[in-house]
Amino acid sequence: MTDFRLLRKIVEMEECVVPALFKPVQFGILKKLSAGKGLNENEKRYLRGKMKAKLAILEQLEGVEAADGKSAFLNSLSSYYITGMDALKHNGFGWYFEPKLIEVINNRLEGRVSVGAKSLKFIRVKSLQKRKWEIDNKTGLKYATNEQILRDVLLTKNDYTRKVWVQMLSRYRGMFVKEYRKFKSLLSPGAGIDYKKFGV
């Protein structure tokens, strides 16, 4: 059973967790539990389903220092990878960035969660097949390749990331992407991005 203190924290953060982590019906069940009220059979079924997995993830975050919160939270997910500006920085481009928003492509969560000073934005997709990422050996975190970051802009709708990505392509060319010629057309003045050319 989930820790009572965690239930109270979740209930107190209603504006943050609904609907980002829990649907209104699910949140109603958590409120009943935190108030010590019994659940009907239908509510118990909810609690045994996806809600159980979400609560397990949140329990793992309990007691974790804020600095390690991102790693602990993300490593508790099975299928995900980090994209956007945080991935660019990890890949060695844009070392001067200090992204406050971390975009996470995954197949379980949708919405935003704050972990310490960082805000995690979860974008849910049906499958992570055919997506390209690499695992950081020190943290175990998964980061999108530079090529994948551009493809993900369609999902994240982060125009700033797209602009920075094109700047990095212009500056570093073959060091930035493996098949520079495939992306070279993005550097022509006034060129729009035709994502079909890049496998999207």
Side-chain angles (χ1 to χ4, degrees):
M1 186 60 197
T2 301
D3 188 316
F4 182 73
R5 289 171 302 171
L6 175 60
L7 284 173
R8 289 194 64 178
K9 281 184 183 178
I10 294 170
V11 169
E12 288 169 4
M13 298 173 64
E14 181 173 0
E15 291 181 8
C16 298
V17 299
V18 179
L21 287 177
F22 297 102
K23 295 175 184 176
V25 173
Q26 294 173 328
F27 187 76
I29 294 169
L30 296 178
K31 281 177 81 171
K32 284 182 75 172
L33 283 173
S34 71
K37 296 179 181 177
L39 302 179
N40 63 38
E41 289 305 312
N42 192 41
E43 290 169 332
K44 287 177 183 176
R45 277 195 296 275
Y46 264 100
L47 196 56
R48 288 192 297 266
K50 291 182 180 178
M51 276 183 71
K52 183 178 179 182
K54 290 179 184 179
L55 288 169
I57 291 169
L58 292 173
E59 278 184 328
Q60 288 182 33
L61 282 176
E62 282 292 280
V64 176
E65 293 180 10
D68 299 321
K70 180 177 85 170
S71 297
F73 191 27
L74 293 177
N75 284 330
S76 67
L77 296 173
S78 56
S79 298
Y80 80 92
Y81 65 87
I82 297 167
T83 190
M85 300 298 286
D86 204 48
L88 273 178
K89 181 175 181 175
H90 173 268
N91 296 345
F93 300 92
W95 50 268
Y96 50 89
F97 298 140
E98 197 50 57
K100 292 183 180 177
L101 177 67
I102 300 167
E103 296 166 323
V104 182
I105 307 292
N106 75 105
N107 62 4
R108 289 172 69 183
L109 301 175
E110 184 81 32
R112 290 190 187 213
V113 174
S114 292
V115 178
K118 303 281 186 180
S119 180
L120 304 178
K121 179 183 178 183
F122 291 93
I123 299 102
R124 187 177 178 182
V125 295
K126 288 183 180 178
S127 171
L128 271 63
Q129 286 186 345
K130 298 184 179 178
R131 295 174 186 271
K132 307 289 184 186
W133 70 81
E134 294 174 355
I135 298 175
D136 183 296
N137 292 330
K138 291 181 182 176
T139 63
L141 292 173
K142 302 171 188 174
Y143 290 91
T145 62
N146 290 337
E147 292 85 348
Q148 185 64 50
I149 293 167
L150 178 66
R151 296 183 185 107
D152 290 337
V153 169
L154 275 178
L155 293 170
T156 63
K157 298 177 173 42
N158 191 332
D159 194 52
Y160 180 69
T161 296
R162 181 191 64 77
K163 287 177 182 175
V164 172
W165 194 98
V166 172
Q167 287 175 5
M168 293 295 170
L169 177 69
S170 172
R171 190 175 302 159
Y172 299 107
R173 302 177 181 264
M175 289 173 55
F176 184 64
V177 291
K178 291 179 182 176
E179 298 179 46
Y180 171 69
R181 290 182 184 178
K182 189 175 178 181
F183 298 93
K184 192 176 178 182
S185 62
L186 297 177
L187 300 179
S188 59
I193 297 180
D194 181 1
Y195 288 96
K196 291 178 185 174
K197 291 181 181 178
F198 310 106
V200 179

